[in-house]
Amino acid sequence: MGYTSRALKGISWMGLLRGSTRAITFIRLAILARILTPAQFGVFGIATLLLSFLEILTETGINIFLIQQKDDIRKYFSSAWIVSIVRGCLIALVLILSAPIVVNFFHSPESYSVIILIAFVPFIKGFINPGIIKIQKEIEFQKEFYMRLILFIVDATVAIVVAFITKSAESFAYGLIASAVLEVIFSFVFFKPFPNLSFDLEKVKLIIRRGWWVTLTGIFSYTAENGDNIFVGRMLNISSLGIYQIAYKFSTLPISEITNVVNKVVFPVYSKFSEDKDRLWNAFVKVLATSSILAVLLGAFIFIFAEQIINALLGSMWMEAVPIVKILAFYGILRTIFGNFSPVFLAVHRQDIVAKMTFFRTCALLITIVPLINIYGLIGAGLAALISILVEIPIVLYFSYKVFKK
């Protein structure tokens, strides 16, 4: 089977997975929004902000490194596993130690227990068998479909059941913990070979050295994608944070899922013929055109029917999110279109370009968000996010020209 056929098959499976998981997400949100309050969503949002930041800060780029490798990747598994375990333990420890500081920063004592619970997630995930990456490298996404769908159903089911019983934001954390435990089990039951507690220092150094730009990109990306959440939670209140995060999910996730699906499939495909620039360019143009059309159509639908979507799925308590959804719909369209460039840069081993373009988006957000929130409140946060992607666009176009100019 050729790369085009394998890519289309992979996109089909990942599209089905994303569609299924997003449907489950919206059902979960619709149910939990009627059990929990916006403030409780904000409490969980604070915990996930901290977890995401630590995961990004300690990102090693192992998966990207293994996909980029042309030789046998099994010789790296044990070293990669050790790095993953150490990273997971470190994240869990920092979460526990920093919980009092974060609680004080956001004036949210309710967040403490959620942060402590959520610390178990990275600790458990650190033990996942690195062999699981073969799904992506070999473009066998039908296996990932079944595995991820089961994990997502378990996460959502546990969260909903615990929420019914406890009426607490901790329900989100229990869902994540259950899913993490099951993922570790799956990684050893269905993927070989098993790693062991031995490592090659040179291989570890190579993985970390190659992952430096991935780590830097992650830090910038985290700030660009979560800076608005941090400032909303700090400058406004926890309820506002909950409303903003829900608005972000409803307006951007359906659109950005297009990029997430396509990029996850095309990155390993691009890596197969990354040295053939003509072939790479032709493949990229086809992907860009298709995903852009889908993004515009879906974004327009979200913009036009924002009020009806929020009212039907969440109820009148969440109607304050509607104008933010409309603004972020444009943000989601642009992120989807220009997000197609990242896997191309990664395929040609130019992680530095992804870091640089994300850096400019981060700077734009940090410069504009405080004055815009002061003037427009929650709507100002959405405007700052939109401005940040507009600033990033010319940077992306410049670097794409540099890569393909020959």
Side-chain angles (χ1 to χ4, degrees), residues 214-288:
V214 176
T215 303
L216 198 59
T217 299
I219 294 172
F220 294 148
S221 181
Y222 172 87
T223 307
E225 294 177 10
N226 294 285
D228 45 359
N229 293 314
I230 294 172
F231 281 101
V232 166
R234 176 63 176 174
M235 297 176 65
L236 300 177
N237 52 59
I238 301 303
S239 292
S240 295
L241 175 60
I243 290 170
Y244 185 81
Q245 289 186 321
I246 289 296
Y248 188 95
K249 286 183 173 67
F250 271 87
S251 57
T252 64
L253 276 182
I255 312 174
S256 62
E257 285 306 302
I258 298 171
T259 301
N260 292 335
V261 168
V262 173
N263 287 359
K264 192 166 187 176
V265 176
V266 299
F267 168 47
V269 174
Y270 288 161
S271 297
K272 300 289 185 182
F273 49 79
S274 58
E275 296 176 359
D276 187 342
K277 292 295 180 65
D278 289 335
R279 189 177 181 186
L280 184 62
W281 169 256
N282 290 332
F284 166 68
V285 169
K286 294 176 183 177
V287 170
L288 176 64

Side-chain angles (χ1 to χ4, degrees), residues 203-221:
K203 288 186 175 65
V204 171
K205 289 180 179 178
L206 177 60
I207 291 171
I208 294 175
R209 185 169 62 249
R210 288 276 293 276
W212 162 245
W213 283 109
V214 176
T215 303
L216 198 59
T217 299
I219 294 172
F220 294 148
S221 181

Side-chain angles (χ1 to χ4, degrees), residues 137-198:
K137 188 172 179 65
E138 302 304 324
I139 321 176
E140 298 177 341
F141 289 99
Q142 69 275 20
K143 296 180 181 178
E144 180 149 9
F145 168 78
Y146 293 113
M147 184 182 71
R148 295 296 170 191
L149 184 61
I150 292 172
L151 293 175
F152 216 86
I153 292 173
V154 168
D155 181 349
T157 302
V158 171
I160 292 171
V161 170
V162 175
F164 268 118
I165 297 172
T166 66
K167 304 295 190 295
S168 166
E170 294 176 0
S171 56
F172 291 104
Y174 283 111
L176 292 174
I177 291 170
S179 176
V181 171
L182 190 58
E183 185 172 1
V184 172
I185 295 172
F186 280 172
S187 73
F188 282 93
V189 171
F190 297 110
F191 299 93
K192 302 292 186 295
F194 294 156
N196 54 61
L197 293 174
S198 64

Side-chain angles (χ1 to χ4, degrees), residues 60-108:
T60 59
I62 290 175
N63 288 350
I64 290 177
F65 170 83
L66 293 176
I67 291 174
Q68 288 176 334
Q69 291 303 111
K70 296 290 193 291
D71 56 352
D72 187 359
I73 62 174
R74 289 177 295 180
K75 62 184 179 182
Y76 296 102
F77 282 176
S78 293
S79 298
W81 195 48
I82 295 297
V83 172
S84 179
I85 292 173
V86 171
R87 175 176 177 257
C89 293
L90 179 62
I91 293 174
L93 179 62
V94 175
L95 275 168
I96 294 171
L97 294 178
S98 62
I101 300 173
V102 174
V103 165
N104 183 63
F105 178 82
F106 286 103
H107 308 295
S108 176

Side-chain angles (χ1 to χ4, degrees), residues 295-308:
V296 170
L297 293 175
L298 188 52
F301 177 83
I302 292 172
F303 178 85
I304 295 170
F305 297 104
E307 183 174 350
Q308 291 85 344

